Amino acid sequence: MPTLTDNWDLFLEAFVNTILLFVVSGLFALIVGTLLGAFRVAPVPALRWFGAGYVNLLRNTPLTLVFFFVAFGFPYLEINFSFTTFAIIALSSYTAAFVCEAVRSGINTVPAGQAEAARAVGLTFFQTLRFVILPQAFRAVVPPLASILIALLKNTTIAAGFSVAEAGSIRANLSELGYPALAGLIWVVIGFLILVLPLSAAQRNLERRWSVAR
Amino acid sequence: MTVTEAPRPPKARRKPSTPTTSVLFDVPGPRARRRNALIGVIGTVAILAALGYVIYRFWETGQFSGTKWEIFAYKQPQITILEGYLNTLKAAGIAAVLALALGIALAAARVSDRAWLRTPAFAFVELFRAVPLLLLMFLFYYGAPTLGFRVSPLWAVVLGLTLYNGSVFAELFRAGIASVPRGQSEAAYALGLRKSQVMMSVLVPQAVRAMLPAIISQLVVLLKDTALGFLVTYDELLKQLKQLATAPDFEYPLIPLVLVGGVIYVATCLLLSWFATWVERRLARKGSHSAAPTMHGDVGQQMGGGAATI
């Protein structure tokens, strides 16, 4: 207990940084991932190939290697940012690949017959999109997107290995101060449980309620 | 969507030609095709420009210099990389076996009729899926000495991977058992089989078939996650690459090493993924019931480090 109460500031700052990393990278990942997802269903082959290449490359690379490349490699390429920026670049480019896949498969879960039927009853392209396709695609996409974001939240811990002061780095800071590692780590774990468990409960709830739709 | 030779009216019958067939656009007519071709050219130019810029950056900062790449021609660096790769495979192999065993035990407990087995198993699975994998490894590597015993880096990695992936496997097995149509177990009970018999001879064989592709893709995730071992000083591929990158004789060849390391990881994972697809297709051909994992399983899980839900 003293490990937590003595170092309240350290824990607070670290978890604030964790949430910051999560929110900023999550936002970028959603934007880039949706764009890539649109590429992958585009009628233009070049865009589709680019999307597929990006996804296959990033999905089969460990996130640690992505971090490694960004944090250690970029300086060699004379691209210099703060470590936090590096972490955001690594997290969001990795997560974007998964967002892209979720978006793509979400759009693909809508049977083609739906669009055909919508056109057959005389809806315009945008009406079809607005009233028939997007609502269904959205429902299919939200649960997997939520689990991707939860994974992102947990993955922010890796930034600690690359000099970013977030929750994963608490242990190193505490052991410099001479506190036992175990107690510090257990508090970090509890912190993550507080963040992750409500999110995953909400996600499961959402999935259960929405999966009935089709 | 393939373009047919002659322009057809949009209402022409079409068959879903590629898996990416989308409901978002029609079969393009002549005007749309001209527009698409234009977007295609612009898109290609933009992508090539971006790639060109990356290559230019590499070139300008001397990443293509011969000295940097020479490192791969020497025996010692080759051995170091190979050792790292073997260590990666070793950790992944041990963890895969242990995680599968743990997953089976947890799944068995979770479908048990006894609440005193079911509830702790549920709590266990929930807990270890919610804790970041890296923190689990930290707990074993840095935390355990507080309690008076040391865990080697290898075992910190293996135990972390086992706890996390065991929990994921437990959920996969459980989902597999739940996916077997209810009539199967009803029929088996009607024949007078006991619960254990129903499980072993009716439900589990079908569950394993249904879940095999998802299990293999989770193994890909497990393999990828061994890279976290780098952060608890395990001598796996990344750590060896970092060590080699400090060689001044080769002008600090970090970028070439990362590129080669990336190729190794991507190749290994793609190989495993293809194996999963192959298994999936084989199972589908045999006419089993829907062997395809749900799309959530497909995307959420692949992410590693831990998607919390399947």
Side-chain angles (χ1 to χ4, degrees):
Chain A
M1 206 62 176
T3 314
L4 177 67
T5 43
D6 291 356
N7 300 291
W8 193 241
D9 293 345
L10 178 69
F11 275 89
L12 195 69
E13 196 211 331
F15 268 100
V16 166
N17 276 344
T18 294
I19 293 169
L20 191 83
L21 274 185
F22 168 59
V23 172
V24 177
S25 326
L27 215 61
F28 279 124
L30 284 178
I31 295 169
V32 177
T34 311
L35 192 70
L36 286 169
F39 278 13
R40 292 210 67 181
V41 296
V44 181
L47 297 182
R48 281 208 303 268
W49 295 331
F50 177 74
Y54 183 92
V55 166
N56 282 326
L57 193 66
L58 268 288
R59 274 214 311 186
N60 289 297
T61 311
L63 177 55
T64 325
L65 181 70
V66 180
F67 260 103
F68 193 96
F69 179 65
V70 174
F72 300 150
F74 276 20
Y76 281 99
L77 301 174
E78 288 158 23
I79 303 169
N80 290 299
F81 294 120
S82 72
F83 282 116
T84 310
T85 316
F86 279 152
I88 290 170
I89 293 173
L91 283 169
S92 45
S93 51
Y94 180 77
T95 311
F98 295 87
V99 172
C100 166
E101 279 308 87
V103 169
R104 183 183 69 98
S105 48
I107 292 171
N108 282 343
T109 54
V110 182
Q114 296 277 337
E116 284 164 0
R119 274 197 297 272
V121 297
L123 297 188
T124 64
F125 175 74
F126 286 103
Q127 282 172 330
T128 311
L129 215 56
R130 160 87 182 72
F131 295 112
V132 180
I133 294 168
L134 286 186
Q136 298 189 59
F138 186 68
R139 278 187 163 221
V141 164
V142 167
L145 274 188
S147 57
I148 287 168
L149 289 177
I150 293 169
L152 168 65
L153 175 60
K154 291 159 62 185
N155 280 338
T156 54
T157 43
I158 299 175
F162 298 88
S163 316
V164 181
E166 45 73 53
S169 69
I170 288 175
R171 179 210 60 81
N173 288 325
L174 283 182
S175 53
E176 265 170 36
L177 298 170
Y179 285 91
L182 189 62
L185 277 171
I186 287 177
W187 284 115
V188 178
V189 167
I190 292 173
F192 266 95
L193 289 181
I194 293 171
L195 290 177
V196 171
L197 283 180
L199 279 181
S200 63
Q203 192 260 3
R204 223 166 330 139
N205 196 356
L206 206 73
E207 194 171 330
R208 196 176 321 125
R209 243 183 328 149
W210 280 8
S211 65
V212 207
R214 215 175 303 140
Chain B
M1 189 158 298
T2 47
V3 178
T4 40
E5 11 10 290
R8 283 188 190 177
K11 281 283 158 61
R13 210 182 313 135
R14 58 174 166 160
K15 51 177 192 275
S17 46
T18 57
T20 51
T21 295
S22 160
V23 292
L24 289 183
F25 52 85
D26 276 312
V27 169
R31 222 158 39 122
R33 269 195 287 153
R34 229 172 303 135
R35 197 186 58 216
N36 288 348
L38 187 69
I39 298 176
V41 170
I42 295 172
T44 314
V45 168
I47 292 165
L48 286 181
L51 287 179
Y53 177 73
V54 172
I55 291 171
Y56 170 73
R57 266 283 21 122
F58 276 34
W59 181 75
E60 204 192 44
T61 55
Q63 302 308 328
F64 294 129
S65 85
T67 338
K68 285 200 183 202
W69 288 85
E70 237 167 59
I71 190 165
F72 299 111
Y74 288 88
K75 196 153 182 204
Q76 201 47 48
Q78 286 170 0
I79 291 175
T80 312
I81 293 174
L82 188 67
E83 267 173 6
Y85 186 52
L86 289 181
N87 279 338
T88 291
L89 293 182
K90 182 168 136 199
I94 302 175
V97 173
L98 292 180
L100 282 170
L102 178 67
I104 291 168
L106 284 172
R110 283 212 60 183
V111 298
S112 164
D113 288 332
R114 299 178 183 83
W116 59 268
L117 267 177
R118 223 169 36 223
T119 320
F122 171 75
F124 187 96
V125 168
E126 284 299 294
L127 178 69
F128 286 106
R129 285 198 309 171
V131 178
L133 183 49
L134 183 61
L135 282 184
L136 289 178
M137 293 182 186
F138 277 4
L139 274 173
F140 286 111
Y141 187 65
Y142 295 110
T146 315
L147 300 178
F149 58 95
R150 298 207 77 82
V151 179
S152 72
L154 169 67
W155 280 95
V157 173
V158 167
L159 289 174
L161 287 172
T162 301
L163 287 177
Y164 171 67
N165 290 289
S167 305
V168 175
F169 283 137
E171 283 302 276
L172 278 179
F173 291 135
R174 203 178 59 93
I177 290 171
S179 78
V180 179
R182 190 195 293 258
Q184 297 276 333
S185 56
E186 283 171 353
Y189 280 121
L191 287 174
L193 299 187
R194 275 178 286 113
K195 174 158 185 192
S196 58
Q197 288 174 313
V198 175
M199 273 291 160
M200 289 321 291
S201 45
V202 180
L203 297 183
V204 169
Q206 300 190 58
V208 169
R209 268 182 90 176
M211 283 298 135
L212 208 51
I215 288 169
I216 299 172
S217 51
Q218 183 63 29
L219 289 175
V220 176
V221 174
L222 190 152
L223 182 87
K224 271 170 50 176
D225 282 344
T226 54
L228 291 170
F230 163 62
L231 303 176
V232 288
T233 71
Y234 178 50
D235 289 325
E236 48 76 70
L237 186 56
L238 283 187
K239 188 156 172 260
Q240 307 289 59
L241 293 179
K242 189 171 180 227
Q243 219 138 36
L244 289 176
T246 55
D249 291 348
F250 300 102
E251 302 171 353
Y252 305 99
L254 185 105
I255 298 283
L257 285 166
V258 169
L259 293 182
V260 168
V263 168
I264 295 176
Y265 271 112
V266 171
T268 313
C269 293
L270 278 182
L271 226 62
L272 255 175
S273 301
W274 275 327
F275 179 59
T277 324
W278 179 78
V279 168
E280 197 174 339
R281 208 166 312 133
R282 244 182 91 87
L283 288 177
R285 211 177 29 227
K286 278 188 177 165
S288 74
H289 66 89
S290 161
T294 61
M295 89 178 240
H296 307 160
D298 222 28
V299 281
Q301 260 178 52
Q302 281 264 356
M303 195 155 155
T309 29
I310 300 181

